[in-house]
Amino acid sequence: KPSGLWSGIFSRADVVVSSARRYKSQYRRLLTGVNESTGSLEDGVAILNSKHEIIWFNPAASRLLALDPAGDIGQRLDNLVRSPDLVRELTDSRGDTITILAPQDQARQLSLRIIPYEDRQSLAIVRDVTHQMKLERMRRDFVANASHELRSPLTVISGYLDALADADDLPDSWKVPIGETQRQAERMTRILSDLLELMRLESAEGRAEASPVDVCAMLELIEKEFAVRPQFPRLSLDLDAGLLLLGSESELHSVFYNLINNAVRFTPPDGKVHVCWEVENDGAIFVVEDTGIGIPEEDLPRITERFYRVDRGRSRDTGGTGLGLAIVKHALQRHDSTLAIESRVGQGSAFRCQFP
């Protein structure tokens, strides 16, 4: 048995060894708990290093992505899961959610998101969204079919209403109710048209067509359309006449018209609506600023959802469909553009579209 100086050294060594064993035991229990908890997840989780090589994955990732626990550790994820979208996401590291086909079952669809974190590593989160995608397709098909089927009877109803309104012997007591019915029929027609446009944009794949669009001429025509309506404020335009934009003329018209229409509808007649189209940085920017009623801060994150209205009663009074900003969002996505919204209640709003 050591004595003297050596006794103290060996005693200290025993303490260090015991502490190391205790920490190792705690680490093993923690690792076992992590494996058990991640093993019960329905979502697949994989850890990737800076070269996108797989360090670890849970059983759900093995099942969804057809990964082999014995042979796929150390392999690049994009070598095992072939998808151009996955390659772009790994390269750009934007953190977007992409949809891919399951490697061993092309009928199943998976959502996958790459989340960067410390030490230049990243998490790949994968989920089976086949059922959700089927429900989404059913919803789109139903809305599209219902919209198409409703247009024909609505056209007939509107025709008879117009004939009644133009009749010389129409009793005075009928004029107000028929006029209101006409207004509601026109509103239903706008809702159906917006629904069909939104369904088309949601189902469209890839980027929009790239044809030169004279934005200035388009905005001047829109300004003339609103100028003849005395109930709306006048528009002021600040346009770069030589600035064209590559894109779909019909989709860009929907973007600009809906943003301007929103501004004038929620701005009093004596207010101001300013429209700007100019070069900014490496692209172009379209801005609509108004002095209208503004949007509460808590409503801004949801303002581009379909049928979402800040003030439902006022939207009905002004003839809104609740689909305009949803159409804007999807059309801008097809042009690799972004929408930024700034607003203060009682002071007005500013909508900025940044084009690359």
Side-chain angles (χ1 to χ4, degrees), residues 225-254:
E225 180 178 343
F226 286 102
V228 298
R229 305 181 189 182
Q231 73 273 27
F232 291 144
R234 293 298 300 270
L235 274 68
S236 62
L237 304 182
D238 183 8
L239 310 178
D240 186 337
L243 184 59
L244 304 182
L245 181 63
L246 289 176
S248 166
E249 184 171 358
S250 61
E251 294 180 18
L252 291 172
H253 184 275
S254 293

Side-chain angles (χ1 to χ4, degrees), residues 87-348:
V87 173
R88 284 193 294 269
E89 186 61 27
L90 288 173
T91 303
D92 298 338
S93 299
R94 293 183 298 181
D96 295 338
T97 299
I98 61 174
T99 302
I100 63 174
L101 299 178
Q104 290 188 336
D105 186 357
Q106 298 291 295
R108 294 169 63 194
Q109 292 180 294
L110 309 176
S111 71
L112 191 147
R113 186 181 181 190
I114 306 297
I115 306 174
Y117 71 103
E118 60 182 15
D119 296 332
R120 298 181 63 192
Q121 294 181 344
S122 57
L123 284 177
I125 311 295
V126 60
R127 173 178 298 178
D128 190 336
V129 293
T130 306
H131 182 63
Q132 293 93 314
M133 297 296 286
K134 286 182 179 178
L135 290 177
E136 180 65 15
R137 281 195 297 271
M138 290 173 62
R139 181 192 66 80
R140 291 179 182 176
D141 290 343
F142 170 77
V143 172
N145 292 333
S147 300
H148 279 294
E149 292 299 323
L150 287 172
R151 293 186 81 174
S152 295
L154 187 57
T155 301
V156 174
I157 292 172
S158 298
Y160 279 113
L161 286 172
D162 291 341
L164 280 172
D166 293 337
D168 296 331
D169 56 349
L170 181 68
D172 291 340
S173 59
W174 283 31
K175 291 182 179 180
V176 172
I178 287 180
E180 176 62 21
T181 306
Q182 282 182 302
R183 192 172 74 86
Q184 294 300 328
E186 291 173 358
R187 181 167 176 266
M188 287 182 65
T189 301
R190 288 195 298 272
I191 291 175
L192 293 178
S193 297
D194 285 351
L195 274 173
L196 290 172
E197 175 67 9
L198 183 58
M199 292 301 103
R200 186 188 68 79
L201 290 171
E202 288 182 335
S203 60
E205 296 182 356
R207 296 186 73 256
E209 63 180 273
S211 301
V213 177
D214 189 342
V215 175
C216 295
M218 181 186 296
L219 294 175
E220 288 170 353
L221 289 175
I222 294 175
E223 189 273 336
K224 290 179 182 178
E225 180 178 343
F226 286 102
V228 298
R229 305 181 189 182
Q231 73 273 27
F232 291 144
R234 293 298 300 270
L235 274 68
S236 62
L237 304 182
D238 183 8
L239 310 178
D240 186 337
L243 184 59
L244 304 182
L245 181 63
L246 289 176
S248 166
E249 184 171 358
S250 61
E251 294 180 18
L252 291 172
H253 184 275
S254 293
V255 170
F256 301 146
Y257 183 88
N258 276 298
L259 290 177
I260 294 174
N261 185 45
N262 272 357
V264 298
R265 284 194 301 112
F266 293 105
T267 301
D270 58 347
K272 297 179 180 179
V273 176
H274 180 68
V275 177
C276 178
W277 169 247
E278 62 184 4
V279 174
E280 182 175 279
N281 299 327
D282 295 329
I285 188 168
F286 171 77
V287 183
V288 179
E289 295 180 290
D290 64 64
T291 59
I293 62 175
I295 305 167
E297 184 177 356
E298 62 270 18
D299 290 310
L300 289 176
R302 300 188 58 193
I303 200 68
T304 57
E305 295 179 10
R306 65 175 68 89
F307 293 116
Y308 186 81
R309 294 190 178 101
V310 176
D311 185 341
R312 295 181 179 274
R314 184 179 176 90
S315 295
R316 280 191 290 268
D317 293 340
T318 56
T321 65
L323 295 169
L325 290 179
I327 291 174
V328 168
K329 180 183 72 172
H330 286 281
L332 288 177
Q333 287 175 349
R334 283 178 36 81
H335 289 80
D336 290 335
S337 181
T338 57
L339 175 65
I341 306 173
E342 298 176 4
S343 185
R344 288 189 177 182
V345 175
Q347 298 184 26

Side-chain angles (χ1 to χ4, degrees), residues 30-43 56 58-59:
L30 178 61
L31 186 59
T32 300
V34 170
N35 285 330
E36 290 177 352
S37 61
T38 56
S40 63
L41 290 175
E42 293 184 1
D43 292 352
W56 173 90
N58 69 345

